[in-house]
Amino acid sequence: MSPLRGALRWDTAVGVLLVAVFVTGLGTTEGFAARDNLAFAFNDIAEVALMALPMTLLVVAGQVDLSVASMLGLSSALTGQLWDSGWAFETIVPVVLLVGVAGGLLNGWLVTKVGLPSLAVTIGTLALYRGLASVVLGSNAITDFPETYAKWAVDTTTIPGTFITYPVALFIVLAVVAAVVLHATGLGRSLFAIGAQEDAAYFAGIRVKRIKLLLFVVTGLVSAFAGVVFTLRYGSARADNGQGFEMLVIASVLLGGIDFDGGKGTLFGAVAGVLLIGILKNLLTLNDVANEVQVIVTGLLLVASVLTPRLISTVSEWRHRRAAATASS
């Protein structure tokens, strides 16, 4: 069974749940269907959605990067500090993206060259990058970014005739690219092979270390770019920007049916997971549900996304063994 077919049932369930939650919101929550609210709801998860794309590829390959939100914060802090120092914004962006690449290289080098597990490495760099953000900007907040760029990130600037903002439009384009890479190229097949059985992939001629290093670099790059978008959207650069986003990114990916052990999942599922969390968050906010409760809901979704597929797999295997035993008796 192919990875795509193996994850199809779970992906379909998440997609159906997404539609059900959306329809429920339309029928029960006043203002949910308003154009401005939909623009806000989707734009509010734009940075999480962007980071979820490379994270999906990483998790399919059996890796994880918990430092994405800290890289977003470091990117935001560096953007603010350089802008406050009089740098041109056109110069700031490539410098910040290079920092993201460097952060991804560090993660990838520690995993592929030193041989450390990605979970342990990125827990460490999670603290490192957030600490560097505090060193760069301290407790200060930098504002007054150029309107020329800031207007493209805010909720009120949408593609004419739609409720789709430009960050969301960028996410859609990148999602299509990521889907093609994951499900229609040799690189995508290599990712599934690495996640399913890394040693077998290596002996099959797949350049495992090079691919994993590339994945970490791309993740760092996209996280740094998400930091620029976040800074422009809120008009404020702070060292604590994006704090806690790593949980939302991981929850979205796992909720979409990407197996944390690697080798299984689809990009459709990850995108559905991101949208489901975003719509739930918006509905809870519109119904005056406290932020603490929203965090609990996200945590429960994360647990359910890991536990439910395992339970389904366990029950399926038990039924298979029972049927085999019955047939042989």
Side-chain angles (χ1 to χ4, degrees):
M1 181 179 293
S2 69
L4 180 62
R5 186 176 177 184
L8 188 58
R9 289 186 179 180
W10 180 255
D11 292 352
T12 303
V14 175
V16 170
L17 182 58
L18 170 63
V19 173
V21 170
F22 189 84
V23 172
T24 300
L26 292 176
T28 63
T29 304
E30 183 179 356
F32 175 73
R35 177 181 175 277
D36 289 346
N37 179 66
L38 291 177
F40 169 79
F42 290 112
N43 208 43
D44 192 42
I45 57 166
E47 297 85 13
V48 170
L50 287 170
M51 293 187 291
L53 294 176
M55 185 70 79
T56 299
L57 305 184
L58 260 179
V59 177
V60 165
Q63 306 298 310
V64 69
D65 187 350
L66 297 180
S67 70
V68 288
S70 295
M71 178 54 71
L72 183 153
L74 176 57
S75 166
S76 179
L78 187 58
T79 298
Q81 184 58 49
L82 293 179
W83 176 249
D84 193 53
S85 300
W87 285 44
F89 204 79
E90 296 82 359
T91 305
I92 292 173
V93 173
V95 169
V96 168
L97 295 183
L98 284 175
V99 170
V101 169
L105 275 172
L106 176 60
N107 287 337
W109 180 78
L110 290 172
V111 171
T112 61
K113 300 300 183 182
V114 181
L116 300 176
S118 60
L119 182 64
V121 166
T122 57
I123 287 176
T125 53
L126 177 154
L128 172 63
Y129 299 154
R130 187 65 69 178
L132 288 174
S134 297
V135 170
V136 168
L137 203 55
S139 59
N140 299 325
I142 307 299
T143 58
D144 298 323
F145 291 97
E147 178 64 22
T148 304
Y149 296 100
K151 68 179 182 180
W152 298 107
V154 296
D155 310 324
T156 53
T157 304
T158 59
I159 295 175
T162 73
F163 58 80
I164 298 175
T165 62
Y166 285 91
V168 173
L170 175 62
F171 163 72
I172 293 172
V173 172
L174 292 180
V176 171
V177 173
V180 171
V181 169
L182 185 60
H183 298 299
T185 68
L187 176 59
R189 289 188 290 274
S190 296
L191 297 183
F192 283 111
I194 293 170
Q197 182 53 259
E198 184 174 319
D199 290 340
Y202 173 79
F203 287 113
I206 296 173
R207 296 183 175 182
V208 174
K209 291 184 177 180
R210 181 177 296 184
I211 290 175
K212 289 198 293 186
L213 181 62
L214 175 63
L215 291 177
F216 279 107
V217 169
V218 172
T219 303
L221 173 65
V222 174
S223 299
F225 180 73
V228 175
V229 174
F230 188 95
T231 302
L232 292 176
R233 185 161 69 89
Y234 283 98
S236 176
R238 294 176 55 91
D240 61 353
N241 277 352
Q243 197 156 19
F245 274 18
E246 59 276 338
M247 185 175 75
L248 289 174
V249 174
I250 294 294
S252 301
V253 171
L254 298 185
L255 180 62
I258 311 299
D259 194 322
F260 195 69
D261 292 331
K264 297 178 182 178
T266 69
L267 197 84
F268 167 78
V271 171
V274 170
L275 295 179
L276 179 58
I277 287 180
I279 290 175
L280 276 174
K281 180 182 177 183
N282 182 254
L283 283 173
L284 293 173
T285 301
L286 289 176
N287 286 281
D288 297 322
V289 176
N291 186 64
E292 293 78 7
V293 177
Q294 295 185 31
V295 172
I296 293 173
V297 171
T298 302
L300 290 174
L301 285 174
L302 180 55
V303 172
S305 65
V306 176
L307 183 60
T308 305
R310 298 299 174 92
L311 289 176
I312 293 174
S313 177
T314 300
V315 171
S316 178
E317 289 178 5
W318 176 79
R319 293 179 62 184
H320 179 74
R321 288 197 300 268
R322 185 178 179 182
T326 301
S328 61
S329 61

